[in-house]
Amino acid sequence: MATEYGQGYGWDGGPGFRGEGAEERRHLLPAALRAPIEARSWREFGYLMLSLPVSIIMFTFAVTMVSLGAGLLVTFLGIPVLAAGLAGCRGLGALERTRARALLGLDVAAPEPLRMPKKGAMAWMGAMLKSGASWRHLLYSVLHFPWAVFAFSVAISFWTYGWAMLTYPLWFWLFPVYGGQDGLQLYGDQGHSIYLDNPFEITVTALVGLLLTMATPWIVRALTQVDRLLVHGLLGPSKLATRVVELESDRGVVIDTAAADLRRIERDLHDGAQARLVALAMDLGLAKEKLTEDPEAAARMVGEAHGEVKTALQELRDLARGIHPAVLTDRGLDAALSAVASRCTVPVQVEVDLPARPAPAIEGIAYFTVSELLQNISKHSGATRASVDVWRIENRLMIQVVDNGVGGADVAAGSGLAGLAERLDSVDGILVVDSPVAGPTRITAELPWRG
């Protein structure tokens, strides 16, 4: 199945290749002075302020339901109470993921759904109690409370003291006018007191407040990093569940690719070799009828049929080569890729440096990857030369195809390159395309090495 470079190469040099929006915004103020007034800092501060009331609700609910359910385990009522408690924790966890997405910009996927072999209340309770994600949500509800108290106390203290001291020159007059004292009291006992009331002390107070104000966003940011770890680690899908989803997706890609290949083979047989063989049978039948009446015409028809046989055989060879070439099975990648390169319309230099042959499945994917890329170079790249390099690095098989064509290839353009990337991804492979407009194009494929 050939990759369509016509779409993938983006001949129009559209916006995707001009780097629009790629340049970072330039700010007049450095990050240290900009942080206290940035929207991100205020969102993170708001997140920590909301964490305390939310964590109180979560902690109270979790401890109450678990304690009640554990106490009722001597009866059957403990099981539904525990299941309800875990379900409530999952619901509160969804709220936390939403809050983290809105205020921290942290997008955490929902955990794996409950797996119930059959419907019913008992099946639901059993699935809830067996779900590792449910217990992780419960653990988050318990652990987040002490952390939220600490983070709230630190954030509110630094934030309020910093801004209060920074703006002290604007409001210190409140003390002598309404408080009956000279200013903000720094120290005091029965016989002695120190007030920040003269211009020097007011200026120093404001400078200290400026330092605290500039440091507070970074302290808040460090505190929210812990929240990010908690949300990501306890409220998201487990690594095992994520891997299962990836494998299921890869299996679907493999099935779809195999079905598409079977349809292609059937179409090629029906429209190509099969049609020629049917025409050949008809021609031979006519030649047989004319053999006694008009031997010269029969001989001419047999000659034409002989040409049709050669054409049909060539089509069958091409089809067999597209399924799995015999040279790949007999002699390996080096010979097979050299044969593919010889059919390319541009000169191709092939270099294969492998200590041994990989597994047949990986070898076949590597062959078809290079075959498709060279076919696309012939059709769409406008190149005058190309090269293919294959080598091994540790437990990875590396393939690199380079041409000096017009460039502009892009996997994200929805072209055949995307399909090729999906096929490689189905075996934990990677496709990387480096193709600036005007070229050159460098496509690197990485496959797992399986001997």
Side-chain angles (χ1 to χ4, degrees), residues 79-242:
I79 295 177
V81 170
L82 275 177
L86 293 175
C89 289
R90 288 178 72 111
L92 293 172
L95 172 63
E96 283 293 271
R97 289 193 299 272
T98 302
R99 195 165 66 93
R101 186 180 303 111
L103 297 178
L104 299 183
L106 178 64
D107 193 2
V108 176
E112 59 274 17
L114 297 178
R115 295 184 177 271
M116 295 187 294
K118 56 183 179 179
K119 297 181 179 180
M122 293 299 298
W124 177 82
M125 287 186 289
M128 184 65 69
L129 293 174
K130 293 177 182 178
S131 172
S134 301
W135 292 101
R136 291 199 308 273
H137 280 68
L138 173 64
L139 182 62
Y140 177 88
S141 300
V142 175
L143 292 181
H144 190 255
F145 174 67
W147 170 251
V149 172
F150 172 79
F152 177 90
S153 303
V154 173
I156 194 67
S157 299
F158 274 88
W159 202 276
T160 54
Y161 275 106
W163 282 102
M165 295 174 70
L166 177 62
T167 59
Y168 184 57
L170 302 178
W171 59 268
F172 84 98
W173 53 269
L174 290 173
F175 287 95
V177 174
Y178 296 102
Q181 60 187 41
D182 297 331
L184 186 66
Q185 187 176 14
L186 182 62
Y187 170 80
D189 54 25
Q190 295 181 352
H192 184 67
S193 59
I194 299 176
Y195 294 96
L196 303 175
D197 54 357
N198 61 62
F200 174 75
E201 293 173 345
I202 294 174
T203 302
V204 172
T205 301
L207 291 176
V208 173
L210 178 62
L211 295 176
L212 288 177
T213 302
M214 290 191 299
T216 298
W218 306 102
I219 295 174
V220 169
R221 194 161 299 175
L223 294 173
T224 56
Q225 287 300 321
V226 178
D227 286 274
R228 293 172 187 270
L229 293 175
L230 288 173
V231 172
H232 187 273
L234 296 178
L235 300 184
S238 64
K239 293 183 178 180
L240 179 60
T242 303

Side-chain angles (χ1 to χ4, degrees), residues 240-383:
L240 179 60
T242 303
R243 182 57 178 164
V244 169
V245 172
E246 291 178 354
L247 292 176
E248 290 177 348
S249 176
D250 293 344
R251 182 183 63 182
V253 171
V254 171
I255 293 174
D256 292 342
T257 302
D261 289 340
L262 288 175
R263 289 193 298 269
R264 175 180 59 83
I265 294 170
E266 190 276 335
R267 184 178 63 250
D268 292 343
L269 281 173
H270 183 272
D271 298 340
Q274 180 179 343
R276 291 189 180 277
L277 290 175
V278 171
L280 174 63
M282 295 175 62
D283 292 342
L284 289 176
L286 292 174
K288 181 180 178 181
E289 293 177 358
K290 290 181 176 292
L291 186 60
T292 56
E293 300 176 0
D294 190 354
E296 294 182 0
R300 185 173 60 256
M301 295 178 68
V302 170
E304 294 175 353
H306 184 258
E308 289 291 325
V309 169
K310 291 182 177 179
T311 304
L313 287 174
Q314 183 59 43
E315 289 181 355
L316 288 174
R317 289 193 190 98
D318 293 339
L319 182 61
R321 188 184 296 114
I323 298 173
H324 194 86
V327 65
L328 178 63
T329 303
D330 298 337
R331 300 173 57 188
L333 271 176
D334 196 353
L337 295 183
S338 297
V340 173
S342 66
R343 297 192 297 271
C344 189
T345 58
V346 302
V348 181
Q349 180 181 357
V350 178
E351 183 173 348
V352 178
D353 183 14
L354 296 177
R357 293 183 63 173
I362 300 299
E363 194 174 53
I365 293 176
Y367 170 82
F368 287 112
T369 298
V370 175
S371 178
E372 290 179 10
L373 292 177
L374 290 182
Q375 184 177 356
N376 295 326
I377 290 175
S378 298
K379 291 181 178 179
H380 307 292
S381 70

Side-chain angles (χ1 to χ4, degrees), residues 412-427:
S415 66
L417 284 177
L420 186 58
E422 290 180 355
R423 177 176 292 190
L424 293 176
D425 185 62
S426 66
V427 292

